[in-house]
């Protein structure tokens, strides 16, 4: 079970995520209580070892700006939320970063992993980073195959149940590992990784 811990803001957050065994860590570059500025992001990315993917989270930022921030911070992947066209994905990918396509599951959502050139598809709640759950039974109508992550209101107590129901390749969390908005709880981070991996290997 691939586990991404998102919205990290301090070097201690990164150290705990790595020690807990996270596969990927996310840094929010867009308007949010979790936003980190470029200098902070660059310092945090330096703390991420090569076997862990450093992901920059973007929404409402042009592809050229994503490229600039990706290059300046050293992230390994860009997670794009919102209505980015395929051309924007191509443009960002050309800078050498991997792509995460973040979408809410609607009737017309293209759930083919890689349809926009992405390495990972992230199925999230309609309001990303809000900690709100969404109706996982919608996956019965359109279930991705391959490298897709489930996100949206997951927490220590319910991630195992959600994994059993949705059968994702991996999971992503932010609010559920916080003690307050934008403040990571290191105990919850460790517990979340263990809980996510407690289901069927
Ligand atoms: O975290 C934010 O504030 C945010 C703002 C704008 C776009 C994306 C954002 N976050 C993305 C994530 O943290 C996660 O990938 C995902 O949405 C899970 O969030 P949560 O429901 O809080 O666990």
């Amino acid at each position: 079970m691939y586990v991404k811990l998102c919205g990290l803001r301090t070097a201690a957050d990164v150290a705990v995520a790595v020690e807990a065994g996270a596969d990927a860590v996310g840094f929010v570059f867009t308007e949010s209580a979790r936003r980190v500025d470029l200098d902070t992001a660059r310092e945090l990315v330096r703390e991420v070892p090569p076997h862990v993917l450093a992901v920059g989270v973007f929404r409402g930022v042009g592809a050229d700006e994503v490229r600039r921030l990706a290059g300046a911070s050293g992230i390994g992947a860009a997670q794009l939320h919102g209505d980015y066209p395929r051309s924007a994905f191509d443009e960002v990918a050309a800078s050498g970063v991997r792509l995460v396509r973040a979408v809410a599951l609607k009737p017309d959502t293209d759930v083919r992993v890689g349809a926009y050139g992405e390495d990972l598809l992230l199925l999230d709640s309609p309001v990303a980073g809000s900690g709100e759950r969404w109706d996982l039974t919608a996956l019965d109508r359109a279930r991705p195959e391959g490298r897709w992550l489930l996100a949206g209101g997951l927490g220590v107590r319910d991630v195992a149940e959600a994994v059993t129901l949705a059968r994702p390749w991996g999971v992503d969390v932010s609010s559920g590992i916080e003690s307050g908005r934008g403040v990571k709880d290191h105990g919850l981070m460790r517990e979340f990784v263990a809980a996510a991996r407690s289901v069927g290997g």
Side-chain angles (χ1 to χ4, degrees):
M1 176 60 52
Y2 190 95
V3 179
K4 172 171 169 277
L5 302 182
C6 202
L8 308 191
R9 296 175 60 226
T10 70
D13 293 346
V14 174
V16 170
V18 171
E19 185 246 13
D23 299 290
V25 291
F27 305 111
V28 177
F29 284 78
T30 196
E31 191 58 43
S32 166
R34 304 175 180 120
R35 181 177 176 274
V36 287
D37 62 27
L38 176 56
D39 288 342
T40 304
R42 190 187 289 119
E43 285 167 20
L44 295 179
V45 169
R46 277 201 208 107
E47 303 294 321
V48 180
H51 70 278
V52 176
L53 184 63
V55 181
V57 175
F58 300 93
R59 185 177 61 194
V61 179
D64 51 348
E65 181 66 353
V66 175
R67 285 180 61 138
R68 186 186 75 78
L69 291 168
S73 63
I75 55 171
Q79 178 173 316
L80 304 183
H81 288 255
D83 296 325
Y84 287 93
R86 172 69 205 240
S87 58
F89 278 80
D90 291 342
E91 203 180 318
V92 175
S95 69
V97 292
R98 291 156 73 181
L99 298 170
V100 182
R101 177 166 61 103
V103 292
L105 186 56
K106 299 183 200 147
D108 62 346
T109 302
D110 189 339
V111 296
R112 293 170 303 151
V113 179
Y116 283 61
E118 75 274 17
D119 181 56
L120 292 167
L121 174 69
L122 174 66
L123 290 190
D124 204 348
S125 77
V127 187
S130 64
E132 287 171 18
R133 291 289 301 266
W134 52 281
D135 179 11
L136 299 184
T137 62
L139 288 163
D140 294 340
R141 295 189 295 278
R143 186 182 301 273
E145 290 178 5
R147 293 167 60 92
W148 74 278
L149 308 185
L150 177 67
L154 299 177
V156 170
R157 276 179 294 171
D158 59 11
V159 64
E161 183 191 351
V163 164
T164 301
L165 188 66
R167 305 192 302 275
W169 184 79
V171 291
D172 180 23
V173 63
S174 190
S175 304
I177 52 171
E178 290 180 341
S179 57
R181 191 118 185 108
V183 181
K184 261 31 191 189
D185 180 309
H186 296 166
L188 290 177
M189 289 168 68
R190 293 188 185 93
E191 287 177 45
F192 184 88
V193 176
R197 297 209 172 114
S198 66
V199 188

